[in-house]
Amino acid sequence: MLQTPRGGAGDGTAARDSGLMSIGMVLNTLREEFPEVTISKIRFLESEGLVEPQRTPSGYRKFSAGDVERLGHVLRMQRDHYLPLKVIREHLDAMERGEAVPLPVVGRQRDAEGALEPVEGPTVARIGRAELLAAAEIDESALEEWESYGLVAPLEDGVYDVEAVTVASLVAELGRFGIEPRHLRVMKAAADREAGLVEQVVAPLRLHRNPQTRAHAEARAKELAALTVRLHAALVRTALGVRLP
């Protein structure tokens, strides 16, 4: 649980007496759990309406313990669930109103060991471009580059499906290891071939007159997709000669 810091740089008497914290104090508190957070990130979350700190007459931000706790929730939901900021804001606002709302999920989330895993439950069907940029913490130029390689693609109406958040977040993570989008074209090509194979199997079921049979096609496609993902992971582990979680 986030704790209000005691002492340290920027911990003035006025701040201690009022129970409010400067943005620098908030940064120090959050970095215990989120080492990569920056003052710019906190300001961005404020601009997106995720937190509303008080302002002094001279314009300085002053955060309450509740503000810091809310920021921690936001960063946690971004890190563990890849939720768009709009969804996070709506979820936290509902919680503050006392509503019992389940946590929405998008595509994948992290398990207790930090690995990505499929999720079940209410999902966010589509997100806009700005929400995708915020969720993946990338800029417009990066997204345009990824789109040029076919790694991420908008739907016909310009929005993105839920898996785009997962793809964008994973491409960003791979980038930290020096793997550029152009290197991932081979993965995209392999994924397209695997999807084509699954489609060949379920296509006759999709065209059937019986609605139950068509519904069965969707279930079969999901099952086959899961199997191909497991096989792909196993083949990569075998090729590398390593054991991965």
Side-chain angles (χ1 to χ4, degrees):
M1 178 179 296
L2 294 170
Q3 301 290 331
T4 302
R6 300 173 183 271
D11 185 22
T13 302
R16 288 198 302 270
D17 292 344
S18 65
L20 300 177
M21 290 179 277
S22 68
I23 194 169
M25 296 168 63
V26 173
L27 179 67
N28 291 336
T29 301
L30 292 173
R31 276 185 169 168
E32 294 179 11
E33 182 177 354
F34 310 99
E36 296 181 358
V37 71
T38 63
I39 286 181
S40 297
K41 174 72 171 182
I42 296 173
R43 289 172 176 164
F44 172 72
L45 294 177
E46 178 190 356
S47 71
E48 292 294 313
L50 273 302
V51 65
E52 297 180 0
Q54 299 179 34
R55 293 274 187 164
T56 67
S58 55
Y60 291 103
R61 297 171 176 83
K62 291 298 180 181
F63 295 81
S64 67
D67 292 330
V68 180
E69 183 176 2
R70 184 178 172 96
L71 284 169
H73 283 311
V74 171
L75 295 171
R76 204 169 294 112
M77 284 192 278
Q78 276 195 305
R79 180 194 65 195
D80 298 341
H81 305 285
Y82 293 122
L83 289 173
L85 292 179
K86 178 182 178 182
V87 175
I88 294 175
R89 181 173 60 248
E90 292 174 350
H91 179 74
L92 292 179
D93 289 345
M95 288 181 59
E96 290 184 353
R97 292 193 298 268
E99 300 175 12
V101 289
L103 178 67
V105 293
V106 175
R108 299 286 186 270
Q109 67 181 15
R110 293 187 183 278
D111 60 20
E113 298 179 353
L116 289 170
E117 61 178 6
V119 294
E120 297 180 358
T123 60
V124 182
R126 298 182 177 187
I127 63 171
R129 191 176 186 87
E131 293 170 330
L132 176 60
L133 292 171
E137 298 185 7
I138 57 174
D139 56 27
E140 185 70 34
S141 62
L143 182 55
E144 289 178 356
E145 181 184 12
W146 299 354
E147 288 178 333
S148 71
Y149 289 114
L151 300 173
V152 180
L155 302 175
E156 292 181 359
D157 52 2
V159 298
Y160 297 81
D161 64 22
V162 295
E163 288 294 349
V165 178
T166 301
V167 172
S169 299
L170 291 174
V171 172
E173 287 191 29
L174 288 169
R176 298 190 186 103
F177 293 89
I179 300 178
E180 301 178 9
R182 60 189 177 87
H183 299 143
L184 302 177
R185 287 180 294 182
V186 63
M187 293 186 181
K188 179 62 168 61
D192 289 342
R193 288 194 296 269
E194 292 168 8
L197 179 60
V198 172
E199 191 61 34
Q200 288 181 22
V201 175
V202 301
L205 299 177
R206 294 186 193 276
L207 299 175
H208 203 279
R209 290 184 176 182
N210 190 325
Q212 292 183 342
T213 302
R214 293 198 298 270
H216 179 65
E218 298 305 316
R220 180 61 59 85
K222 291 180 180 179
E223 181 181 2
L224 287 172
L227 289 172
T228 57
V229 169
R230 289 174 58 190
L231 175 59
H232 183 88
L235 291 173
V236 171
R237 289 196 295 267
T238 300
L240 293 173
V242 297
R243 294 184 58 130
L244 299 175

